[in-house]
Amino acid sequence: IRVTRFLIILLILEVYSCDYFRLRNCIDQNKTECPITVYFVIDTSESVALQTDPIESLVNHSKKFVTQFVNKLANEVYQQQISINWQIGGLHFSDIVIIFSSLTQDKALFNDRLKNIRYIGRGTFTDCALSNMTAQMPLNSLGANYAVVITDGHVTGHPCGGMKQQADRARDAGIKLFAVAPSQKIYEHGLQEIANLPHELFRNNYATLKKGTVDEDTETMDKIIQVMVRTDA
């Protein structure tokens, strides 16, 4: 039933999506390329990193998840008229924010930068991470902008105005946010505050790991990419 509901909502969103009209604008303005931007926001605070022994293993799984996700992104041609190209960037955060990759279309370069991040520890200021993500996005682009936020939904402070406020600010700027859990120990309400509606598409129990295993959840990757592509094209 959950899969059927996911597909029904996906089809409805495909028909009425604003991103569809962005692609039409690319065609109408004789643009040959339309970028889809995906920005990864990775929680490397203590609430995530210290959940397991050895510490940092969940952070390493998040890094593997993102690497596999990025490798699945494939450029394609829409209606034999425009080329849809992916550009990717990312930051990780705790009570500070570190941008580990500016926007690039070079997957290998992005993955090399991702490989070098280490957990920060300390507190969790997700609102500041979302604010920084929004600032990195090409908001005037004709393409579509997405953020994949990997966090447990827990926060220890809100010096940048609050997580929901910054998530809403990103949405107002045209960014669609997916919320992905790094483990089963999560604060679901926080994840739902981050994710766009409908939650069946932008939250949907997405996780970096398959439940009860240490394997990256490829179904989560495939569903999120499906939402991106179907609602954008």
Side-chain angles (χ1 to χ4, degrees):
I1 294 175
R2 177 175 291 175
V3 173
T4 302
R5 182 173 173 80
F6 172 85
L7 292 175
I8 291 173
I9 294 173
L10 182 59
L11 287 171
I12 293 172
L13 194 58
E14 178 182 356
V15 173
Y16 294 103
S17 171
C18 290
D19 292 328
Y20 170 81
F21 296 104
R22 285 196 182 97
L23 282 179
R24 289 304 315 172
N25 285 338
C26 287
I27 294 173
D28 294 342
Q29 295 184 31
N30 296 317
K31 301 293 185 181
T32 57
E33 293 187 3
C34 265
I36 300 179
T37 300
V38 182
Y39 204 92
F40 294 92
V41 179
I42 306 172
D43 186 342
T44 58
S45 67
E46 284 187 6
S47 69
V48 172
L50 299 186
Q51 283 188 28
T52 57
D53 185 17
I55 63 173
E56 200 170 2
S57 63
L58 285 180
V59 172
N60 289 333
H61 280 299
S62 292
K63 289 160 62 176
K64 290 178 183 177
F65 174 89
V66 172
T67 297
Q68 292 181 34
F69 189 112
V70 166
N71 289 339
K72 284 175 172 284
L73 300 178
N75 295 340
E76 58 185 284
V77 176
Y78 174 69
Q79 292 189 352
Q80 298 182 332
Q81 291 180 272
I82 59 173
S83 176
I84 298 176
N85 296 315
W86 301 88
Q87 58 179 355
I88 46 182
L91 62 80
H92 69 113
F93 73 97
S94 63
D95 56 358
I96 63 172
V97 174
I98 299 175
I99 297 170
F100 66 85
S101 178
S102 56
L103 293 175
T104 179
Q105 293 187 10
D106 189 331
K107 294 180 184 179
L109 177 62
F110 175 88
N111 285 332
D112 282 344
R113 292 169 173 171
L114 170 66
K115 183 171 58 179
N116 292 326
I117 73 172
R118 295 291 182 267
Y119 92 97
I120 304 169
R122 304 197 302 266
T124 312
F125 296 167
T126 308
D127 56 347
C128 296
L130 296 177
S131 176
N132 275 268
M133 173 275 294
T134 301
Q136 298 298 309
M137 285 294 203
L139 300 179
N140 295 323
S141 169
L142 286 174
N145 296 321
Y146 295 96
V148 177
V149 184
I150 302 174
T151 183
D152 59 2
H154 175 75
V155 299
T156 61
H158 40 81
C160 296
M163 181 170 68
K164 187 177 187 305
Q165 178 179 336
Q166 289 300 334
D168 287 342
R169 177 172 168 262
R171 280 186 274 275
D172 290 343
I175 303 167
K176 293 185 173 69
L177 292 85
F178 296 88
V180 180
S183 73
Q184 298 300 312
K185 297 178 182 178
I186 58 173
Y187 182 50
E188 182 61 34
H189 179 71
L191 292 171
Q192 292 189 10
E193 283 190 344
I194 293 170
N196 271 52
L197 294 174
H199 286 151
E200 287 86 351
L201 296 185
F202 293 94
R203 174 65 190 104
N204 200 25
N205 295 317
Y206 294 139
T208 59
L209 295 174
K210 295 178 183 177
K211 190 173 183 179
T213 76
V214 292
D215 298 324
E216 278 65 47
D217 192 338
T218 56
E219 184 178 356
T220 285
M221 303 175 202
D222 292 339
K223 281 186 174 180
I224 291 176
I225 294 171
Q226 186 180 19
V227 173
M228 290 176 176
V229 173
R230 292 289 290 274
T231 61
D232 187 69

